[in-house]
Amino acid sequence: MYRLFNKYIVVLQLGLLTAIPIKSVAQGLSPDNPIQKLDNRIMIDLSEHRTEQKTSFFMFLSKYNNLVNVAIPAGIFAAGVIDNDKGTRQNALYIASSSAVNILLTMVTKKLVKRPRPFLGQVKISAVYYPGQTSFPSGHTSSSFATATALSQVYHKWYVIAPAYLWAGSMGYSRMYLGVHYPSDVAAGALIGTGSALSMKFIRPSN
């Protein structure tokens, strides 16, 4: 138990250290920065091609992101309890721990970077709705990629991996489509979420 706790601490320390260079890069995105210009062009294009059907779908996807991220490890844990399968319960703990580490790293990075939302930037982007907090990285994207990656590490089947990453990728796209995150926010979220899940692999029963 003590060794497991130490591994948690090491993972968190390494994760927090990576937030320092990320902060420097993200805060350096001035209006003339090539990345910021590309972000703005993509966001403007997406905002000009919205439809009622796609907007409803992506709003639904974003709205229930947290529920899905909780339901997946909870369902796997329940299956492990019903079947009295310790390995399945450990897999559920791995997925839940990946999400927990990801949430912490995402929140810390948001606090460090404090990047304004696209609709609050110097180039105003039309948004479908106006959430609070800051933009970098995308929390919805990081959480969905953390869950998808952890799930894929547990179940090495194409019919698990493909839908998991399709969902995570769609989640990232939805955040841009809705006008609440830049593409670079989404890319950073995907990296943080994936890294969080891979860093927690020591919890899996096979390890």
Side-chain angles (χ1 to χ4, degrees):
M1 187 67 181
Y2 180 74
R3 288 182 179 178
L4 185 63
F5 178 75
N6 276 345
K7 288 182 178 179
Y8 268 112
I9 297 300
V10 170
V11 167
L12 290 175
Q13 287 175 332
L14 291 174
L16 292 174
L17 284 174
T18 61
I20 296 174
I22 287 175
K23 173 186 176 181
S24 300
V25 171
Q27 288 185 333
L29 295 180
S30 65
D32 296 326
N33 185 284
I35 296 176
Q36 185 64 63
K37 286 183 175 180
L38 179 60
D39 274 351
N40 290 336
R41 285 200 298 270
I42 293 172
M43 294 298 290
I44 291 170
D45 184 67
L46 288 172
S47 68
E48 291 176 346
H49 293 87
R50 293 187 186 122
T51 66
E52 184 177 345
Q53 292 79 10
K54 288 191 290 186
T55 298
S56 297
F57 173 74
F58 287 126
M59 278 295 292
F60 175 85
L61 201 63
S62 285
K63 182 179 179 181
Y64 291 101
N65 177 63
N66 291 338
L67 178 62
V68 172
N69 285 317
V70 171
I72 288 175
I76 293 173
F77 184 81
V81 172
I82 293 170
D83 296 338
N84 193 27
D85 187 335
K86 182 180 178 181
T88 300
R89 295 196 299 272
Q90 280 186 274
N91 284 332
L93 175 62
Y94 162 56
I95 297 172
S97 297
S98 298
S99 293
V101 168
N102 169 73
I103 289 171
L104 179 60
L105 294 179
T106 299
M107 288 177 61
V108 169
T109 305
K110 279 180 175 286
K111 293 290 185 182
L112 287 173
V113 176
K114 297 179 181 178
R115 187 186 195 186
R117 295 275 186 178
F119 52 82
L120 296 174
Q122 292 192 12
V123 177
K124 298 295 188 294
I125 306 298
S126 172
V128 174
Y129 75 109
Y130 300 90
Q133 300 182 348
T134 51
S135 188
F136 187 95
S138 167
H140 280 68
T141 305
S142 68
S143 61
S144 60
F145 268 89
T147 299
T149 301
L151 194 62
S152 299
Q153 292 296 311
V154 170
Y155 301 106
H156 302 283
K157 304 292 184 182
W158 71 266
Y159 52 80
V160 173
I161 297 172
Y165 279 108
L166 177 61
W167 164 66
S170 298
M171 185 61 64
Y173 181 83
S174 76
R175 305 309 287 164
M176 297 184 293
Y177 177 90
L178 296 173
V180 295
H181 281 292
Y182 292 108
S184 53
D185 299 336
V186 170
L191 288 173
I192 291 173
T194 301
S196 297
L198 294 178
S199 70
M200 299 302 291
K201 285 177 66 176
F202 62 85
I203 293 180
R204 292 186 58 215
S206 58
N207 292 342

